[in-house]
Structure formats: C-alpha cells, structure tokens
Amino acid sequence: MRPNGWHLTGDLDDFLTRAWDFLCSRPALHTTPLTAIEKLRTRGGGGAPTQAGSTVFGWLVEDGAVRAALLRPPTGRLTLTTLSPGQADSLAAHLAAPGPRPCGVLSDDETATAFAGAWRRHTGAEAVRSWGARLHRLGTLTPPRRPPAGRGRVVGEREHGQLMRWCREFAADVGEAVTIDTESWAGTRFAEKRYTFWETRTARPSPWRARTRWSAGRSGSTPSAPRPGSAVAATRPP
C-alpha cells in the first residue's frame, strides 16, 4: 500500500488494483464511478500511461486503507466518492498544483459543496451549480397482481426522433445543459442506454425505460417524461 494521501494514475488496471475493493464495498453508493469504470473497461480508455486528454484515476489512502476515489475524464469534470470536508480540502490542495485542473465535480451534494468551497480557498475560483438529480436505490421487485395492458418493445430506428425529444425534455426538467439532436446524439450519455417503450392496444408508446449496464451485472434506470423538479416520476407522453 502506498503512503497516506492522494495518488493519481492514468493506468486503469493500477487504479482497480488499488481501489476496486473500496468501490465494491458500497456498490449502491458508488454506482456512478462503477458505471464509468465499466464503460472504460469494456470500451477502452484505460490501461496505458497517462497521456494528454486521457482519463485520470485517483484514490486516497488513510491509515493504510483506501478511503475515497476519483475519476477525471477528458472533459475535466471530476467524479468523486463521498468525501469529508478535510478530505475535500486535501484533494483541492493536491489538484491546485501546476498541471491540468478540473472544470467541475460530480458527486453527492455535501461532497460537491465541500470540494467547491475548498477549491475556492485554494484557487480563488468561484463555483457555479449546474444541475442536480436524485438516485434512488432499487429495492425488491414485486410483480403487479394484474399485469398492465400492453407490452414492452425495444425502441427501434423509426422512433429515434421521438426518443431524442423525450431525452431532451428529461434533460431540461432536471436542469442538464446538453444538446440532443441527430448530430450530437452519439456523444451524449443517453446514447449508451437501451430503451424500451411500453405500448398499449392503440400501439401508442406510454412510459419508457432506459438502462445502463455496469459491472457485476447491476444497472441503473431512468424513467421517462418526469414532472418538473423530479428525476423519478414517470408519466405518459403528451
């Protein structure tokens, strides 16, 4: 085990050797970094020494054990596991040294707030909140007593325009600034999901579901057409 403090690497295998057990110790809490890691592991982007524009991985050692982890993709936005105010301050001090600096942070609200405050103290930069969402842990699945009318169907090419429209509306409802059209679709986080429409007897799609796979066979779901201010309420389309 390396000395106490933050350690950075561009080698995904090295990072997983150090931080994998820590990340898997609380998979529900760490679902976001685990999902990002699985994408890199299956599609490439790790395993080689750090180069300009590549993903940087990090972990924090305290008392001989890993206590936190981070990812910094080419976009520059940090993905952080939960940090205490002191841990956030030590990370900000570490990243404020000469070299590439983060342009944002994605984490739980308390961690993001703590890091933003620490970053301001160390660099003088002011933070601006961009968007927020709430993740809900999936509990035990209980089949309905009476199945709803209709059937599920994987979204096909002919519904791609409608799918992009619903994704744009979802992003707007949760305050996410992203362009979603035919040209930009492949580069958005929405393109990597598998979508299912639920069709009624009129063959009109009702609520839809999107699933993102990550390691250990787990997945996260995003419902359709949420009410303003909610990232979890599925409704019928207009």
Side-chain angles (χ1 to χ4, degrees):
M1 181 60 68
R2 296 186 183 182
N4 288 345
W6 286 97
H7 304 275
L8 303 180
T9 182
D11 189 320
L12 177 57
D13 291 334
D14 181 35
F15 171 71
L16 294 179
T17 298
R18 313 284 180 177
W20 182 247
D21 288 345
F22 164 74
L23 291 170
C24 290
S25 66
R26 304 185 69 182
L29 183 64
H30 299 154
T31 182
T32 298
L34 282 169
T35 300
I37 290 168
E38 181 66 4
K39 295 175 189 175
L40 292 172
R41 191 186 66 79
T42 57
R43 302 179 187 178
T50 303
Q51 299 175 355
S54 64
T55 300
V56 174
F57 310 92
W59 64 96
L60 173 65
V61 177
E62 291 180 338
D63 299 325
V66 175
R67 304 297 185 188
L70 68 83
L71 293 85
R72 186 179 67 198
T75 60
R77 188 177 70 175
L78 290 172
T79 295
L80 302 176
T81 59
T82 299
L83 302 179
S84 68
Q87 292 170 337
D89 187 78
S90 67
L91 176 60
H94 190 84
L95 297 179
R101 292 186 172 186
C103 65
V105 60
L106 177 65
S107 187
D108 63 273
D109 192 66
E110 291 184 1
T111 295
T113 300
F115 181 81
W119 190 249
R120 183 178 63 252
R121 291 192 298 273
H122 286 280
T123 67
E126 291 292 336
V128 177
R129 185 179 180 89
S130 55
W131 69 282
R134 184 178 298 276
L135 298 179
H136 291 262
R137 185 171 184 172
L138 185 65
T140 302
L141 296 178
T142 304
R145 293 182 179 179
R146 294 184 60 186
R151 62 184 180 86
R153 177 177 56 78
V154 175
V155 177
E157 263 316 300
R158 62 189 177 90
E159 299 98 4
H160 190 59
Q162 182 179 8
L163 175 62
M164 288 193 298
R165 177 171 66 86
W166 286 1
C167 288
R168 282 195 298 270
E169 293 171 354
F170 172 80
D173 283 344
V174 300
E176 183 175 358
V178 60
T179 299
I180 301 176
D181 55 28
T182 302
E183 293 184 358
S184 64
W185 173 259
T188 69
R189 67 183 182 89
F190 297 95
E192 66 201 19
K193 304 180 188 298
R194 181 185 181 190
Y195 294 89
T196 302
F197 280 166
W198 187 266
E199 285 187 336
T200 61
R201 288 176 297 179
T202 61
R204 179 182 180 183
S206 290
W208 53 273
R209 181 173 66 98
R211 186 177 70 175
T212 302
R213 291 185 53 128
W214 63 273
S215 58
R218 299 176 184 272
S219 66
S221 295
T222 301
S224 69
R227 295 189 298 266
S230 170
V232 298
T235 63
R236 293 180 180 273

